[in-house]
């Protein structure tokens, strides 16, 4: 059933005669159900012309004595003049033909003067197949997708001009047309193309999908359509570092909402002029949202930094924990890059023992994303077999939101350490036993000198929850500490020239230093432990 009614015929005739395609005519007539838009473009045009011919015949039969041509011509000119010189540059396409209806040079409907061909050529199966061929050749794994369409900003200007034209026509019939009554171009495009894309690729279109296919349209011929808005509404067009042009869709819409109708009509033709060419596709890109892998790592070497150690552009050590893990993940997930994060960090000469330190890796734009639990286990084993400096456990895929549990532990949880301590004075067992009785000792730590180049200067209060001593010899003992996360253990031992108070030196009245430090546990219950 044809979607237009008698009430729509004046608007439909006006738009068709000025060069608007059938689908855009449906939009301006408020047709908000999908089926009519999905018909082939040529079929829609034939049906529309039949509808208008029928309505025209009925109109002629109702008006046996039409007014003279000169009067009709004057009425038409008055109507156009009422829009403040809608076609002031002499480029208007309207003319009067024998039966008194509005005709145009574009009455055979070439390129739509509103959508610039978007709802014509780019809704057909041939174009959809070309896009899908590029998607399939991209090498991404996906079970659904989200389609992102970017239209030239001047489409908003042309739609505004057509709206003003239709608004005036409907006003003659004591009817109104608000901007929100028009079906948005992007909505109509989705109604038509989503089922075609889904059918061609064999997967559903899902707005929450991590796999995105973006299609960017441009229309160089009409690129200057927006420029007058910048003169009238300069505040709406401010340069942005991440934008190539000030004429973004948002900026144009902001200006259109601000400009007065009469000012718009003085600057831009209503109806908009018909273009010579359709839009062009300047970009078809595929991208997959990041996926996240988490686990725990043990570090057994005392010459391995957590992240690449580079000073003044010079690399100090060959590898790092980050690289020993991430290099394997990058290869298997076919990702472009990665971001490594962990629950705290240890110094290059500190081992991480026990259940290890929680970590998470963001894999950017991965081409492969589907893995079985067995494949993840095999990946973990491959990492562990590649180096004797680290070991990984509990490797698993996680969500972005879940990583928050790891970051919470950096300040809120506790950590356990084992330190081998040297003293300048000879000591006996009784000289260190008192440390075992100290509980929840508050210390103030000014940012250590060794990290002042990368951490802001501040005094941080931390808690040493408990200490346990094991006597080794008269100049050495081992100290086991349970502390608040974020405590600088080395500085708590040697005092950092008085920047950490109290410290082991001040408590024992000796000069002390730390010879070896191990992280025994990081008490963050994340990620979930897995069976071996």
């Amino acid at each position: 059933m044809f979607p237009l009614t008698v009430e729509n015929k004046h608007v439909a005739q006006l738009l068709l005669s000025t060069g608007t395609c059938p689908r855009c005519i449906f939009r301006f007539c408020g047709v908000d159900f999908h089926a009519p838009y999905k018909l082939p473009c040529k079929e829609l045009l034939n049906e529309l012309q039949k509808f208008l011919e029928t309505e025209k015949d009925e109109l002629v039969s109702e008006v046996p004595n039409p007014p003279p041509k000169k009067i009709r011509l004057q009425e038409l000119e008055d109507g156009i003049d009422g829009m403040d010189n809608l076609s002031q540059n002499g480029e208007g396409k309207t003319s009067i033909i024998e039966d008194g209806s509005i005709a145009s040079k574009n009455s055979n409907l070439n390129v739509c003067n509103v959508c610039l061909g978007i709802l014509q050529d780019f809704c057909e199966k041939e174009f959809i197949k070309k896009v899908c061929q590029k998607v399939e050749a991209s090498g991404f794994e996906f079970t659904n997708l989200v389609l992102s369409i970017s239209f030239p900003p001047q489409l908003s200007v042309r739609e505004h001009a057509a709206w003003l034209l239709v608004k005036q026509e409907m006003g003659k019939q004591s009817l109104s047309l608000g901007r929100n009554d028009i079906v948005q171009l992007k909505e109509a495009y989705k109604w038509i193309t989503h089922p075609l894309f889904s059918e061609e690729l064999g997967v559903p279109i899902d707005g929450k999908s991590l796999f995105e296919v973006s299609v960017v349209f441009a229309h160089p011929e009409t690129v200057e359509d927006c420029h007058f808005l910048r003169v009238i509404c300069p505040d709406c067009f401010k340069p942005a570092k991440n934008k190539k042009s000030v004429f973004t869709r948002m900026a144009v819409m902001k200006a259109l909402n601000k400009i007065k109708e009469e000012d718009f009509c003085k600057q831009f033709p209503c109806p908009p002029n018909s273009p010579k060419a359709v839009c062009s596709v300047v970009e078809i890109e595929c991208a997959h949202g990041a996926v996240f892998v988490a686990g725990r790592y043990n570090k057994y070497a005392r010459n391995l930094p957590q992240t690449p150690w580079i000073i003044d552009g010079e690399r100090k050590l060959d590898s790092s924990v980050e690289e020993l893990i991430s290099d394997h993940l990058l290869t298997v997930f076919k990702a472009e890059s990665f971001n490594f994060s962990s629950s705290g960090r240890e110094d290059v000469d500190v081992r991480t023992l026990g259940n290890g330190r929680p970590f998470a890796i963001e894999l950017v734009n991965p081409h492969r994303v589907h893995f079985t639990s067995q494949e993840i286990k095999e990946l973990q084993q491959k990492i562990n077999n590649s180096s004797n400096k680290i070991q990984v456990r509990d490797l698993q895929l996680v969500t972005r939101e879940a990583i928050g549990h790891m970051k919470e532990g950096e300040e809120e949880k506790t950590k356990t350490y084992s330190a081998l301590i040297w003293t300048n004075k000879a000591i006996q067992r009784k000289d260190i036993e008192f440390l075992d009785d100290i509980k929840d000792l508050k210390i103030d730590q000014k940012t250590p000198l060794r990290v002042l180049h990368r951490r802001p200067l501040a005094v941080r209060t931390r808690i040493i929850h408990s200490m346990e001593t094991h006597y080794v010899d008269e100049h050495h003992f081992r100290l086991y500490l349970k502390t608040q996360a974020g405590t600088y253990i080395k500085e708590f031992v040697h005092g950092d020239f008085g920047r950490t108070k109290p410290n082991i030196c001040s408590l024992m009245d000796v000069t002390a230093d730390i010879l070896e430090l191990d992280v025994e546990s990081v008490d963050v219950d994340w990620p979930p432990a897995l069976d071996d």
Side-chain angles (χ1 to χ4, degrees):
M1 183 177 177
F2 197 70
L4 300 186
T5 64
V6 176
E7 291 179 349
N8 304 130
K9 74 177 176 63
H10 291 290
V11 169
Q13 179 66 66
L14 176 63
L15 290 174
L16 182 64
S17 65
T18 56
T20 306
C21 72
R23 289 179 176 129
C24 280
I25 291 172
F26 288 172
R27 295 194 302 115
F28 279 90
C29 291
V31 177
D32 58 0
F33 49 102
H34 304 189
Y37 292 91
K38 297 179 181 179
L39 294 173
C41 207
K42 289 182 180 179
E43 185 177 332
L44 281 177
L45 179 57
N46 290 336
E47 291 295 321
L48 181 59
Q49 288 174 335
K50 286 180 185 177
F51 167 75
L52 293 175
E53 285 294 325
T54 303
E55 296 301 332
K56 183 179 67 177
D57 292 343
E58 291 178 2
L59 182 63
V60 170
S61 66
E62 292 171 5
V63 187
N65 297 309
K69 282 185 185 177
K70 289 185 178 180
I71 296 177
R72 295 201 303 275
L73 178 58
Q74 186 62 47
E75 288 174 351
L76 178 67
E77 290 174 347
D78 290 344
I80 294 176
D81 290 342
M83 290 294 285
D84 289 316
N85 301 318
L86 299 182
S87 52
Q88 55 179 309
N89 296 323
E91 298 176 357
K93 302 293 184 179
T94 55
S95 61
I96 303 301
I97 58 177
E98 284 298 311
D99 64 1
S101 62
I102 301 175
S104 76
K105 296 177 183 178
N106 205 38
S107 58
N108 60 345
L109 198 67
N110 290 323
V111 182
C112 177
N113 65 338
V114 178
C115 71
L116 301 176
I118 294 291
L119 295 183
Q120 294 171 301
D121 294 13
F122 299 104
C123 291
E124 302 302 313
K125 286 187 176 181
E126 185 179 351
F127 172 71
I128 303 300
K129 283 186 177 181
K130 287 181 180 179
V131 176
C132 291
Q133 286 170 0
K134 184 149 188 177
V135 172
E136 290 170 338
S138 67
F140 283 94
E141 272 187 354
F142 59 95
T143 54
N144 52 28
L145 64 93
V146 59
L147 190 63
S148 174
I149 306 296
S150 177
F151 294 137
Q154 59 263 39
L155 288 183
S156 299
V157 178
R158 290 178 161 264
E159 186 155 300
H160 192 80
W163 169 62
L164 293 178
L165 180 71
V166 173
K167 184 180 175 185
Q168 177 192 285
E169 178 66 21
M170 293 182 67
K172 295 176 184 177
Q173 305 171 54
S174 299
L175 299 173
S176 62
L177 180 72
R179 288 289 298 274
N180 294 333
D181 296 327
I182 303 169
V183 174
Q184 294 299 304
L185 175 60
K186 191 165 286 190
E187 280 299 302
Y189 190 78
K190 288 178 180 178
W191 293 345
I192 303 163
T193 60
H194 276 195
L196 298 176
F197 276 110
S198 186
E199 180 183 358
E200 188 69 26
L201 293 170
V203 299
I205 306 292
D206 183 354
K208 296 181 180 179
S209 174
L210 290 177
F211 180 60
E212 180 181 24
V213 177
S214 62
V215 182
V216 179
F217 292 96
H219 196 261
E221 180 187 343
T222 60
V223 73
E224 295 183 2
D225 282 1
C226 303
H227 290 189
F228 76 94
L229 290 172
R230 190 179 188 183
V231 177
I232 298 174
C233 306
D235 292 345
C236 298
F237 299 94
K238 295 179 180 178
K241 291 182 180 179
N242 60 337
K243 299 293 183 182
K244 295 180 181 179
S245 169
V246 294
F247 295 104
T248 63
R249 180 182 173 277
M250 293 298 292
V252 169
M253 289 303 298
K254 187 176 179 181
L256 291 175
N257 289 331
K258 189 174 181 180
I259 191 171
K260 294 179 180 179
E261 292 182 9
E262 55 268 27
D263 291 336
F264 180 92
C265 295
K266 289 176 183 177
Q267 298 292 330
F268 196 84
C270 303
N273 297 327
S274 294
K276 296 177 182 178
V278 297
C279 282
S280 58
V281 178
V282 295
E283 188 177 282
I284 300 174
E285 284 197 349
C286 300
H288 200 290
V291 296
F292 298 85
V293 177
R296 287 175 172 263
Y297 72 80
N298 291 106
K299 179 166 88 77
Y300 301 121
R302 295 196 186 277
N303 62 347
L304 183 70
Q306 187 192 65
T307 55
W309 192 7
I310 300 171
I311 299 177
D312 296 330
E314 182 181 349
R315 182 157 191 150
K316 296 300 181 182
L317 291 170
D318 292 337
S319 190
S320 65
V321 174
E322 173 187 293
E323 292 164 297
L324 290 174
I325 300 172
S326 299
D327 286 353
H328 293 278
L329 298 182
L330 271 179
T331 301
V332 173
F333 282 78
K334 299 179 181 178
E336 289 183 0
S337 60
F338 70 90
N339 295 304
F340 181 92
S341 59
S342 63
S343 182
R345 60 188 297 137
E346 67 283 317
D347 291 338
V348 61
D349 58 348
V350 176
R351 299 186 302 177
T352 299
L353 308 176
N355 287 331
R357 185 185 297 277
F359 72 90
I361 296 174
E362 177 187 15
L363 294 157
V364 179
N365 202 25
H367 285 56
R368 187 184 173 192
V369 294
H370 300 120
F371 294 86
T372 65
S373 57
Q374 181 59 35
E375 287 174 325
I376 295 294
K377 283 183 180 180
E378 291 171 0
L379 176 58
Q380 175 176 295
Q381 193 60 44
K382 187 176 182 179
I383 294 171
N384 292 339
N385 291 340
S386 66
S387 174
N388 60 2
K389 294 183 177 182
I390 66 161
Q391 290 281 288
V392 170
R393 69 178 67 199
D394 300 331
L395 196 68
Q396 58 196 276
L397 290 164
V398 297
T399 63
R400 182 188 296 271
E401 292 73 25
I403 295 176
H405 297 302
M406 179 185 73
K407 306 308 286 185
E408 290 168 5
E410 290 188 3
E411 298 295 333
E412 298 176 5
K413 303 296 183 180
T414 60
K415 297 181 181 180
T416 305
Y417 300 89
S418 170
L420 179 61
I421 296 174
W422 166 88
T423 60
N424 67 326
K425 294 181 181 178
I427 58 171
Q428 298 180 6
R429 195 178 304 272
K430 64 180 181 180
D431 295 325
I432 59 174
E433 287 177 344
F434 77 98
L435 295 174
D436 298 350
D437 298 326
I438 297 176
K439 307 297 179 186
D440 296 327
L441 174 68
K442 285 187 177 182
I443 63 172
D444 291 325
Q445 294 196 299
K446 189 178 287 187
T447 304
L449 293 172
R450 63 188 174 91
V451 299
L452 198 54
H453 65 284
R454 58 181 172 86
R455 294 292 299 272
L457 179 62
V459 176
R460 300 171 180 85
T461 299
R462 294 291 183 262
I463 298 176
I464 309 297
H465 293 293
S466 64
M467 290 182 280
E468 182 182 335
T469 57
H470 287 192
Y471 183 78
V472 178
D473 58 38
E474 61 182 10
H475 286 286
H476 301 89
F477 69 97
R478 189 164 289 279
L479 180 65
Y480 296 90
L481 310 93
K482 186 173 186 178
T483 74
Q484 179 183 353
T487 303
Y488 292 103
I489 304 302
K490 291 178 179 178
E491 283 68 24
F492 172 62
V493 172
H494 59 62
D496 196 25
F497 301 101
R499 296 168 72 85
T500 292
K501 298 177 181 179
N503 53 67
I504 292 296
C505 294
S506 63
L507 292 171
M508 294 181 60
D509 193 22
V510 297
T511 297
D513 205 353
I514 193 165
L515 302 181
E516 292 178 356
L517 180 62
D518 294 329
V519 179
E520 296 287 349
S521 71
V522 179
D523 301 327
V524 179
D525 297 328
W526 189 89
L530 302 177
D531 295 333
D532 292 336

